[in-house]
């Protein structure tokens, strides 16, 4: 199923789709050469927005939940990718310790953990779950929506190794984004593979570093295709030293909002786009759709309500927000059953393994859809008959649309690879 775009069938995105399909051999070779130089993140998911005149990633998650939203048809792809990823890191791996978030009452999240467990079990690993929650002192069963259950166990740290009672893993997979900080139990694990690395967690990671890397990747890709990188790249600017509760730093935020809005207006004029530009202000670290606001005029920041200030001042795990990014807003003109929709693409190692549309009937096309009330419709990535079909009219074919989504998502994944290299505290100093 492909949702309908409420924009004309002629326009920059259809031209881009055509160019991407015509350039498929060159694109795949380019990715292949990039992956010879860079290591992909172990797994990732990318939120895309398709405005009809622009297609861009707006968020890249390196600890993706939501694997339960992939269809059963997609799981063989995920198992194969998991095999490839593990083989590259630790070919003799036998035991995998999966460390999830502490959302033990969130049945949707637990279904995601169950799906990950199934994927890695089918990839040939013994998988057990260890929790960072120190209040759990013994193996604890958690009920799943389908009637099954998961067992989480307390972690056991012995010198340089982390495991469970009578379970010594070679690899530790985090499905916990470390928003609340890096627990000491995860530090200095030099004898085991910790995936993703600690500096991929929100305690240390910054979206501004990611989108700086993405800008570099988008320019390289645009040069390959002979196109304007703006068509796939959201402009952004970081702002630090903020305190929403007192108003400190709001003048600097206002300046950057004004700058990005003006740059966007110039681009809209260049392409004859009639939309009203907007920006999205969100924490430079963190996820779960918290602490996000849409701004259409810098002057609006003069009159932020107390409720908005409170909403913007904290993100996941009660972390105070003092750094944000101002990101060029990309409307989503895609609809599923008349509800606003955005594609989310899932990857493991360097492979696209599936995805879904996040839809929200109560949100507008310029609003964040990662909010309570969202639902999910699977993408048809995994149907074997759905390979791209060069030569078809742009916008008419779901496989062609999904191939393009996969390309843009892989660009964001490549940017995450650049980002992790540059921010690695144990790496050589980069020039």
């Amino acid at each position: 199923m492909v949702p309908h775009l409420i924009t004309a069938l002629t326009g920059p995105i259809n031209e881009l789709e055509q160019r991407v399909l015509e350039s498929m051999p060159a694109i795949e070779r380019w990715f292949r050469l990039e992956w010879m130089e860079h290591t992909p993140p172990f797994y990732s998911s990318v939120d895309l927005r398709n405005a009809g005149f622009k297609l861009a990633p707006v968020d890249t998650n390196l600890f993706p939940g939501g694997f339960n939203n992939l269809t059963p048809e997609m799981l063989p792809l995920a198992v194969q990718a998991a095999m490839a990823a593990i083989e590259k890191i630790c070919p003799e791996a036998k035991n995998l310790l999966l460390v999830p978030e502490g959302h033990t009452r969130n049945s949707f999240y637990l279904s995601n953990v169950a799906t990950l467990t199934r994927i890695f079990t089918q990839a040939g690993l013994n998988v057990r779950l260890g929790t960072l929650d120190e209040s759990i002192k013994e193996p604890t069963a958690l009920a799943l929506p389908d009637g099954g259950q998961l067992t989480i166990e307390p972690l056991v740290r012995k010198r340089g190794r982390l495991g469970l009672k009578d379970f010594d893993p070679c690899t530790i997979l985090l499905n916990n984004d470390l928003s609340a900080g890096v627990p000491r139990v995860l530090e200095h694990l030099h004898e085991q593979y910790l995936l993703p690395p600690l500096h991929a967690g929100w305690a240390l990671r910054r979206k501004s570093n990611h989108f700086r890397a993405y800008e570099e990747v988008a320019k390289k890709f645009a040069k390959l295709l002979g196109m304007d990188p703006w068509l796939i790249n959201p402009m952004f600017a970081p702002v630090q030293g903020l305190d929403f509760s007192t108003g400190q730093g709001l003048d600097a935020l206002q300046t950057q909002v004004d700058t990005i809005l003006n740059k966007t207006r110039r681009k809209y004029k260049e392409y004859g786009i009639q939309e009203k530009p907007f920006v999205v202000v969100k924490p430079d670290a963190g996820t779960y759709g918290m602490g996000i606001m849409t701004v259409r005029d810098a002057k609006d920041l003069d009159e932020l309500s107390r409720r908005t200030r409170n909403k913007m001042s904290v993100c996941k795990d009660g972390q105070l927000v003092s750094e944000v990014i101002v990101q060029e807003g990309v409307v989503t003109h895609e609809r599923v059953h008349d509800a606003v929709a955005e594609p989310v693409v899932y990857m493991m190692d360097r492979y696209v393994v599936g995805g879904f549309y996040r839809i929200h009937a109560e949100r507008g096309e310029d609003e964040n859809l990662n909010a309570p009330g969202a639902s999910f419709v699977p993408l048809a990535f995994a149907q074997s008959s759905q390979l791209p079909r060069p030569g078809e009219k742009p916008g008419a074919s779901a496989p062609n649309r999904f191939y393009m989504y996969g390309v843009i998502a892989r660009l964001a994944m490549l940017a995450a690879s650049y980002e992790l290299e540059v921010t690695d505290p144990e790496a050589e100093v980069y020039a």
Side-chain angles (χ1 to χ4, degrees), residues 210-228:
H210 175 74
F211 283 102
R212 209 169 283 122
Y214 182 78
E215 191 170 28
E216 183 185 343
V217 167
K219 283 177 181 172
K220 284 186 182 181
F221 184 78
K223 188 177 178 185
L224 176 76
L225 264 65
M227 58 178 268
D228 180 354

Side-chain angles (χ1 to χ4, degrees), residues 162-192:
L162 184 67
L164 307 172
K165 187 183 178 187
D166 303 323
F167 187 74
D168 184 26
C170 126
T171 305
I172 298 153
L173 178 62
L174 296 178
N175 196 240
N176 182 312
D177 64 22
L178 308 180
S179 291
V182 177
R184 288 184 63 187
V185 74
L186 294 178
E187 293 180 335
H188 311 301
L189 294 171
H190 299 308
E191 296 179 16
Q192 292 162 299

Side-chain angles (χ1 to χ4, degrees), residues 237-288:
V239 182
Q240 298 172 329
L242 279 165
D243 186 333
F244 281 97
S245 57
T246 65
Q248 177 188 317
L250 284 184
D251 51 345
L253 178 60
Q254 223 163 7
T255 300
Q256 294 296 3
V257 166
D258 216 26
T259 300
I260 299 294
L261 283 172
N262 284 330
K263 285 181 176 176
T264 307
R265 278 187 201 103
R266 285 198 291 273
K267 276 294 181 184
Y268 281 15
K269 190 174 179 184
E270 179 186 335
Y271 282 93
I273 294 161
Q274 302 302 313
E275 306 273 350
K276 187 174 180 188
F278 66 100
V279 299
V280 175
V281 178
K282 53 188 171 185
D284 204 3
T287 182
Y288 283 86

Side-chain angles (χ1 to χ4, degrees), residues 12 37 122 130 246 263 384:
E37 300 289 329
Q122 292 186 354
T246 65
K263 285 181 176 176
S384 57

Side-chain angles (χ1 to χ4, degrees), residues 13 16-17 20 55 399-409:
I13 285 305
L16 175 62
E17 181 181 305
V20 163
L55 172 65
N400 289 353
R401 172 89 59 85
F402 297 153
Y403 176 72
M404 186 169 67
Y405 289 164
V407 168
I408 303 301

Side-chain angles (χ1 to χ4, degrees), residues 61-63 101 174 176-182 195-207 284-287 419-420 423:
N61 189 354
L62 299 182
F63 299 85
E101 295 275 1
L174 296 178
N176 182 312
D177 64 22
L178 308 180
S179 291
V182 177
L195 304 167
L198 292 179
H199 66 283
W202 287 124
L204 300 169
R205 186 180 178 222
R206 294 294 176 269
K207 292 177 187 176
D284 204 3
T287 182
E419 169 201 357
L420 291 178
T423 57

